[in-house]
Amino acid sequence: MLPRSAGGAPRVRRDFESTWNERPLEYYLDPDWHERAHFKRSQELIVDFVARLATTRSAPLTLLDAPCGNGRFYRGLESAGLLGKVEYTGVDLTPKLVEASRRLMPGVAIVEGSVEALPFADGSFEVVVAQHIIRHLETFEQAVREFLRVSRSFVIVAEKGAALPGAPDIRDAYWSEADKSHYWAISWEPNHLKQFARENGAALAFTLNDARHDDPDGQYVYVFCR
């Protein structure tokens, strides 16, 4: 019998392996590789939130970008003039993305590791930023627990895909022709994710925006406060 989601619907399980690391390294050395128009607004909101946090600190804000890809968020911080106010660390599971990040951001701490088993001690960072990843895991629970574990102040999550209020979570696997790989996709009602964060260590959980109305592609930005 298939495991069931929180709302009672069966999870669809399909065996597959990611092909991300099979691409040539040069593919990821393109700084614009992961730029998407529908990611722009949510990252702007996160950069603005981080900028406001940084003004309240006398020392640089320790920040984990999980996963970092090839440094899209780092370049967003750089464009906003925030690199001097942020002590940035990136983590990614794909070895070639880690190598590309290290080449594109020489001297920056980039670590190979999974968002579901982060290779950092509890409370290592003031802020953890996770953009467009938890929807593409089989389940978001373990990753959110890890984000909360390694953060001592804030976790910021940007993600699309909200189920209708009261509807069960939807979990399935799809084939991406563009990426030549299968990927998981989860949809959930925003209050479900906020409730889960509060049950797992967040004192507060809220969204920075109402994605139904003010984001061109419905990207929610969640903030979990420790």
Side-chain angles (χ1 to χ4, degrees), residues 7-216:
R11 301 179 187 176
V12 178
R13 292 184 178 274
R14 300 177 185 174
D15 293 330
F16 61 86
E17 294 183 4
S18 172
T19 59
W20 283 62
N21 205 54
E22 296 176 11
R23 295 174 174 172
L25 178 61
E26 289 72 21
Y27 188 88
Y28 299 128
L29 289 173
D30 176 4
D32 296 327
W33 159 70
H34 209 216
E35 288 292 341
R36 303 286 189 276
H38 56 279
F39 291 168
K40 181 178 180 181
R41 177 58 181 156
S42 55
Q43 179 158 294
E44 288 174 345
L45 287 171
I46 297 172
V47 169
D48 182 68
F49 189 78
V50 169
R52 293 171 187 270
L53 290 178
T55 63
T56 67
R57 306 293 198 276
S58 57
L61 196 70
T62 55
L63 181 147
L64 177 66
D65 185 9
C68 62
N70 71 345
R72 177 176 170 270
F73 184 60
Y74 179 90
R75 288 184 286 278
L77 296 171
E78 184 177 39
S79 296
L82 290 174
L83 292 186
K85 301 176 182 179
V86 171
E87 183 181 319
Y88 175 99
T89 299
V91 62
D92 205 284
L93 184 60
T94 303
K96 284 183 180 175
L97 274 169
V98 171
E99 176 63 20
S101 293
R102 288 171 176 167
R103 293 195 191 188
L104 291 168
M105 301 177 286
V108 175
I110 305 296
V111 178
E112 185 176 326
S114 168
V115 297
E116 296 180 285
L118 290 168
F120 307 104
D122 296 359
S124 293
F125 304 93
E126 291 179 85
V127 179
V128 175
V129 173
Q131 296 193 77
H132 315 295
I133 179 61
I134 63 173
R135 182 172 180 255
H136 298 310
L137 302 173
E138 182 182 353
T139 171
F140 63 72
E141 283 91 342
Q142 181 58 25
V144 171
R145 290 190 191 101
E146 281 292 276
F147 299 151
L148 289 164
R149 180 185 68 79
V150 303
S151 167
R152 57 180 181 270
S153 295
F154 296 94
V155 173
I156 307 170
V157 174
E159 197 52 86
K160 166 177 192 177
L164 294 174
D169 292 354
I170 301 169
R171 307 182 188 214
D172 204 346
Y174 299 88
W175 171 259
S176 168
E177 183 62 29
D179 292 330
K180 303 298 181 185
S181 178
H182 282 92
Y183 63 92
W184 287 103
I186 313 172
S187 294
W188 60 84
E189 200 279 323
N191 284 331
H192 176 198
L193 185 57
K194 290 184 282 186
Q195 178 182 345
F196 180 83
R198 287 192 295 268
E199 291 171 350
N200 287 271
L204 293 172
F206 56 91
T207 52
L208 283 179
N209 63 333
D210 185 342
R212 296 168 299 173
H213 303 294
D214 60 12
D215 188 283

